[in-house]
Amino acid sequence: MSQLEEGETERCLKNGESAPSSNVDVQSEAANVSASKSFFKQNLVEQKNAKRKSDMTLEEMYNGQHGFEDDEDDDSDWEPSALPDHHVVEVPKWFCLNCTMVNIGDDLHCDVCGEHRESGILKRGHLASPFYGAEGLTEDDAHAADGLQGPSLQSFPSDNATAIGFDERMLLHEEVVMKSHPHPERPDRIRAIAASLAAAGIFPGRCYPISAREITREELLMVHSVENIEAVELTSHVLSSYFTPDTYANQYSASAARLAAGLCFDLAAAICSGSAKNGFALVRPPGHHAGVRQAMGFCLHNNAAVAASAAQIAGAKKVLIIDWDVHHGNGTQEIFEKNKSVLYVSLHRHEGGKFYPGTGSAYEIGVMGAEGYCVNVPWSCGGVGDNDYVFAFQQVVLPIASEFDPDFTIISAGFDAARGDPLGCCDVTPTGYAQMTHMCSALSGGKLLVILEGGYNLRSISSSATAVIKVLLGESPRHDVEQVMPTKAGLRTVLEVLKIQLNYWPSLESRFLKLQSEWGWYALQEKKHKKKRGWAKVPTWWKWGPKRWLYRLWCKKLS
């Protein structure tokens, strides 16, 4: 008897099974096992290649870099869960509708944001209770946003009204295959805002819509290269594709991007011509990361840049773009960094270039004769809230904007610096966004267009957008900004920006000297605040002794 047969007989006797009758049976069984393994492995290879095709980037599609081979030694896509195992107990897992964060178990509320598992936020926006499910809504509540999709919704001219740009076809832009986590830039973002506006009676109601159209190739060529336009158009022929690992497209994405850009173009033209008082572009995909050539950061075409070009065609000689998205608008900066007729101001997390996309330091001021027409306010840490943003508006944004004296103002309104956003991790409230909008409304004779950019917590994005639109309608925010106390880190950032920009905007010099003289007072207030939070008092000998460098390092860490 062979060694295989002897081993098999011993195993069977040990387990109380009958031994194989002959060597031929053993060989037959071994052959069957080998064939099964071969079939299973071939099936995994085919699945792996299919996955590679679905994740293929646009660059690979252009260059024909398919390169799918049956690499038998590469088990990087091996998924043990694909094997049937009756001894494995699956733990219930669900993703929060509001913030997309993963939750383990059968809890009814999200561990991160507290939203109910069956939230009704897509029916009533932020007006829906976060503590109860959608089944608690009345029939009228459940259909509050249906008016946005009805055929009876028609545009009408009014020179004293706020215009809204929205089209449900932009909802078709979504990631085809969800990977390990729902993509944060999802159709529910504008669904939640639309539901909030409908439930509050703002739109339809107090605002009027404009007719949607896809932007033309000629209009796009004013801000983008042929390379960008053709790359986006190519996605309409593919079920699923990626420009970058985080920037997806499906067969409807190109049309959605052209609709978003077309709405922004027409809103800017309508406001400049006086057909509308101001406007809000409820659009996606966002745009401020899209540069002259590249699509990136969830963005395909640059909506703010398109709106600026439309305003200039309509007669605006100088255009101001204020970008308060938590990420730097590197695409918008690239498009206008050589242009003195467009002033770009961005407030964003930077952290020395460690925060996406890594650009936007205070020293990026414009090039080739347009120095000073790019103003970056780069926050050095997360958690930035209302006071720092309003303070930066008072000391940097508004003084420079007033000296620039724009004919038209655009806000790239990302709401991912809002409290509760999973990507931004900052602390701006709807009141803070309303206050910043109110401060901008006095610029350019009130000709103001707000364009949606980022924002990935449905409750915070819908409440913040609603607060901004209420200001566009003429309501005043309930917030006292006379005595705004910034954080020490916020003050340091503002001083750094003022020191750089006063070389190009002379009116800033007096502000810089005044704030610099008050630095000691601000630092004292911050020190008192930290003591209240429980920081230990450091002995004097530590401050000025031989190891004072350790104290300075400690202070730097606290700040």
Side-chain angles (χ1 to χ4, degrees), residues 4 58 101 152 192 244 271 308 325 335 355 376 380 382 408 499:
L4 173 63
L58 266 293
M101 292 293 102
S152 61
T244 64
I271 296 169
D325 189 283
I335 291 171
F355 196 76
N376 285 304
S380 60
F408 187 70
K499 184 177 181 180

Side-chain angles (χ1 to χ4, degrees), residues 120-133:
I121 196 167
L122 296 183
K123 300 298 183 181
R124 284 184 56 82
H126 74 282
L127 297 178
S129 171
F131 308 112
Y132 302 100

Side-chain angles (χ1 to χ4, degrees), residues 40-41 44 48 74-81 83:
F40 186 71
K41 193 166 187 179
L44 285 178
K48 177 171 60 177
D74 181 11
D75 288 334
S76 59
D77 285 343
W78 179 261
E79 298 180 5
S81 60
L83 292 171

Side-chain angles (χ1 to χ4, degrees), residues 502-514:
L502 64 81
N503 296 307
Y504 311 100
W505 306 97
S507 63
L508 298 179
E509 184 173 4
S510 59
R511 290 180 177 273
F512 173 72
L513 295 175
K514 182 180 179 182

Side-chain angles (χ1 to χ4, degrees), residues 1-2 4-6 8-13 17-29:
M1 183 182 292
S2 66
L4 173 63
E5 188 174 356
E6 290 176 354
E8 182 68 8
T9 301
E10 182 179 353
R11 183 190 66 78
C12 293
L13 291 174
E17 301 174 2
S18 59
S21 58
S22 68
N23 186 44
V24 175
D25 292 336
V26 173
Q27 292 177 350
S28 177
E29 183 178 350

Side-chain angles (χ1 to χ4, degrees), residues 244 246-247 288-289 295-299 325-330 348-350 353-359:
T244 64
D246 66 350
T247 306
H288 72 149
H289 291 307
M296 61 175 288
F298 313 163
C299 304
D325 189 283
V326 77
H327 303 96
H328 178 242
N330 58 303
H348 52 272
R349 277 185 69 177
H350 186 250
K354 296 179 181 178
F355 196 76
Y356 184 88
T359 56

Side-chain angles (χ1 to χ4, degrees), residues 271-323:
I271 296 169
C272 283
S273 66
S275 299
K277 179 180 67 174
N278 49 42
F280 187 96
L282 181 53
V283 297
R284 61 179 294 273
H288 72 149
H289 291 307
V292 176
R293 296 177 179 83
Q294 80 281 1
M296 61 175 288
F298 313 163
C299 304
L300 306 187
H301 294 317
N302 195 304
N303 301 319
V306 165
S309 66
Q312 292 185 321
I313 292 173
K317 294 182 179 180
K318 292 185 289 185
V319 177
L320 168 65
I321 301 176
I322 299 174
D323 189 339

Side-chain angles (χ1 to χ4, degrees), residues 15 35 67 116 168-169 197 248 250 333 337 368 390 392 435 455 465 471 480 498 505 507 521 533-534:
N15 295 332
H116 193 279
E168 62 179 349
R169 288 174 289 177
L197 299 179
Y248 66 83
N250 65 10
Q333 177 174 296
E337 64 182 352
M368 298 181 64
V390 172
Q435 186 60 53
V471 173
D480 182 17
L498 288 174
W505 306 97
S507 63
W521 180 80
R533 285 158 44 188

